[in-house]
């Protein structure tokens, strides 16, 4: 959304900045436009809110690569609040934007030594290490962070991603299991844990993946990815050396999953031709071709027969 700078007063811009802070919106381009056009020359009228606005401008300036503006705001705040850990964090972000990663890490280490319970500098440290490609060190730092802030769900997600990038699937699965403790009714977490278990391979992991795919499909009946995964897991179990009872159960599960996939695939095809009969016939033909390709992609599994 564009704003006419000439028609806005400094109080209008102040209220708009306040709204964005309350709603946790960055709006970096617009913030810089309104700061340059209206608010920079009216700082004295902001009162105590001036410091919050300067912090907001620092973030926006870094997002827009306005390094000089960010440096100016940081220097102003540093002069007014010498020794502030909050301003020191912005200084580290400025160093990071300049590519001086080692200096930024030193600033963050200084903050952590002064306040070990401050989560923000620990997260920034992990982000810098990840940016530099130092994944092993980022994992170590994030593990240390999670020992202190165990309820941080975003931290578990990020640690899972880092482990996956290193091929540490068992540790990634552990992270997702920790997330399940915090949010047991999330179909996406069940689905991702099932994806990891399926990737790990082996009958035990395939069976665990099947369980989580089932849970994901139960929590969200429209989760096609969970249904596809369920079909694949059932197919593996059917063709494995599992006992006959498990293989028969897997056969029924595969049939049910394919029926659900067919129903949802046909249901989502909307006719677009002006002639209803032609569009319906074309829709059916398209669905049939898609399902045939799907079954072929699944390895031509015969879910109607089971050999002992």
């Amino acid at each position: 959304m564009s704003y006419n700078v000439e028609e806005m007063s400094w109080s209008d811009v102040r209220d708009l900045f306040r709204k964005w802070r309350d709603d946790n919106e960055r709006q970096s381009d617009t913030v810089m436009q309104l700061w340059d056009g209206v608010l920079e020359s009216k700082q004295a009228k902001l009162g105590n809110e001036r410091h919050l606005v300067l912090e907001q401008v620092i973030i926006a300036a870094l997002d827009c690569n306005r390094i000089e503006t960010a440096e100016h705001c940081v220097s102003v705040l540093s002069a007014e609040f010498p020794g502030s850990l909050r301003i020191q964090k912005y200084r580290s972000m400025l160093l990071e934007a300049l590519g001086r990663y080692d200096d930024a890490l030193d600033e963050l280490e200084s903050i952590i030594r002064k306040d070990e319970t401050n989560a923000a500098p620990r997260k920034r440290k992990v982000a810098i290490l990840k940016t530099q490609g130092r994944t092993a060190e980022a994992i170590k730092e994030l593990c240390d962070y999670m020992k202190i802030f165990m309820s941080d769900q975003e931290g578990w997600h990020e640690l899972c991603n880092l482990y996956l990038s290193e091929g540490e699937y068992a540790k990634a699965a552990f992270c997702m299991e920790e997330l399940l403790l915090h949010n047991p009714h999330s179909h996406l977490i069940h689905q991702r844990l099932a994806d990891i278990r399926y990737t790990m391979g082996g009958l035990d992991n395939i069976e665990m993946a099947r369980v989580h795919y089932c849970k994901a499909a139960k929590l969200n009946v429209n989760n096609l990815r969970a249904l596809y995964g369920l079909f694949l897991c059932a197919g593996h179990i059917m063709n494995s050396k599992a006992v006959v009872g498990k293989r028969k159960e897997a056969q029924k599960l595969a049939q049910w999953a394919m029926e659900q996939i067919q129903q949802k695939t046909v249901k989502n095809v909307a006719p677009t031709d002006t002639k209803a009969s032609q569009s319906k016939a074309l829709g059916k033909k398209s669905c049939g071709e898609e399902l045939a390709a799907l079954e072929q992609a699944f390895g031509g599994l015969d879910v109607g027969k089971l050999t002992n």
Side-chain angles (χ1 to χ4, degrees):
M1 182 179 180
S2 60
Y3 295 89
N4 191 339
V5 176
E6 296 179 356
E7 296 181 357
M8 298 185 70
S9 65
W10 72 270
S11 60
D12 294 333
V13 177
R14 178 201 60 191
D15 295 340
L16 193 58
F17 277 30
R18 184 184 299 163
K19 179 180 181 299
W20 287 337
R21 288 197 304 273
D22 293 340
D23 295 340
N24 199 25
E25 297 183 32
R26 295 175 84 126
Q27 301 283 350
S28 299
D29 291 331
T30 310
V31 166
M32 294 310 303
Q33 178 189 2
L34 296 176
W35 171 257
D36 292 335
V38 180
L39 213 53
E40 185 176 10
S41 59
K42 306 292 184 181
Q43 294 184 49
K45 296 184 178 182
L46 293 174
N48 293 332
E49 198 170 351
R50 169 172 164 270
H51 305 116
L52 296 175
V53 170
L54 286 174
E55 290 181 335
Q56 195 171 359
V57 172
I58 290 172
I59 300 298
L62 292 175
D63 287 343
C64 300
N65 199 29
R66 296 275 300 274
I67 304 300
E68 292 183 0
T69 303
E71 286 179 336
H72 172 71
C73 294
V74 169
S75 63
V76 169
L77 290 174
S78 298
E80 296 189 26
F81 302 98
S84 170
L85 298 182
R86 187 164 173 169
I87 307 305
Q88 196 171 351
K89 181 191 73 173
Y90 291 124
R91 193 179 302 117
S92 70
M93 293 171 65
L94 178 60
L95 292 170
E96 184 181 348
L98 292 170
R100 297 166 55 184
Y101 295 118
D102 292 337
D103 294 335
L105 288 172
D106 291 339
E107 287 281 354
L108 293 172
E109 283 289 353
S110 175
I111 298 174
I112 294 171
R113 284 195 298 269
K114 295 175 183 177
D115 183 6
E116 296 182 356
T117 62
N118 193 338
R122 295 177 182 271
K123 288 185 174 182
R124 291 270 11 127
K125 189 175 180 182
V126 173
I128 292 174
L129 293 172
K130 184 179 176 182
T131 301
Q132 293 181 292
R134 298 157 63 181
T135 308
E137 295 178 54
I139 289 174
K140 181 181 180 301
E141 288 294 334
L142 191 50
C143 286
D144 293 338
Y145 169 83
M146 296 310 304
K147 290 177 183 178
I148 302 173
F149 305 95
M150 296 181 182
S151 61
D152 188 341
Q153 296 186 43
E154 291 182 355
W156 287 116
H157 273 294
E158 183 61 33
L159 187 57
C160 177
N161 290 334
L162 290 174
Y163 277 134
L164 288 176
S165 67
E166 293 293 296
E168 298 279 358
Y169 297 110
K171 294 179 180 179
F174 172 81
C175 295
M176 297 310 297
E177 289 168 353
E178 287 290 328
L179 280 168
L180 275 180
L181 297 176
H182 296 285
N183 195 354
H185 301 297
S186 171
H187 69 98
L188 295 175
I189 295 177
H190 281 283
Q191 172 195 299
R192 194 173 193 204
L193 178 55
D195 289 342
I196 295 171
R197 288 293 182 185
Y198 182 85
T199 304
M200 292 172 68
L203 185 58
D204 291 340
N205 285 317
I206 293 296
E207 289 186 346
M208 292 184 68
R210 175 185 61 82
V211 171
H212 288 290
Y213 278 133
C214 285
K215 188 66 175 177
K218 181 179 179 181
L219 291 169
N220 183 3
V221 295
N222 295 317
N223 190 333
L224 277 176
R225 180 164 176 168
L227 292 172
Y228 291 151
L230 187 56
F231 184 90
L232 289 173
C233 289
H236 276 282
I237 296 172
M238 286 166 53
N239 295 324
S240 69
K241 296 182 180 180
V243 296
V244 176
K246 282 188 177 181
R247 293 161 64 193
K248 287 183 177 180
E249 181 183 353
Q251 173 192 345
K252 295 179 181 178
L253 194 58
Q255 290 175 335
W256 176 84
M258 180 53 69
E259 289 173 0
Q260 295 297 313
I261 292 170
Q262 289 174 345
Q263 291 177 8
K264 296 182 187 326
T265 306
V266 174
K267 183 178 178 181
N268 289 334
V269 174
T272 57
D273 201 313
T274 54
K275 296 181 179 181
S277 59
Q278 292 181 0
S279 60
K280 185 176 181 181
L282 290 172
K284 287 183 177 179
K285 183 179 179 181
S286 176
C287 290
E289 292 175 352
E290 289 180 2
L291 292 173
L294 177 64
E295 291 178 355
Q296 184 178 2
F298 283 159
L301 297 173
D302 188 355
V303 297
K305 297 180 180 180
L306 180 66
T307 55
N308 293 327

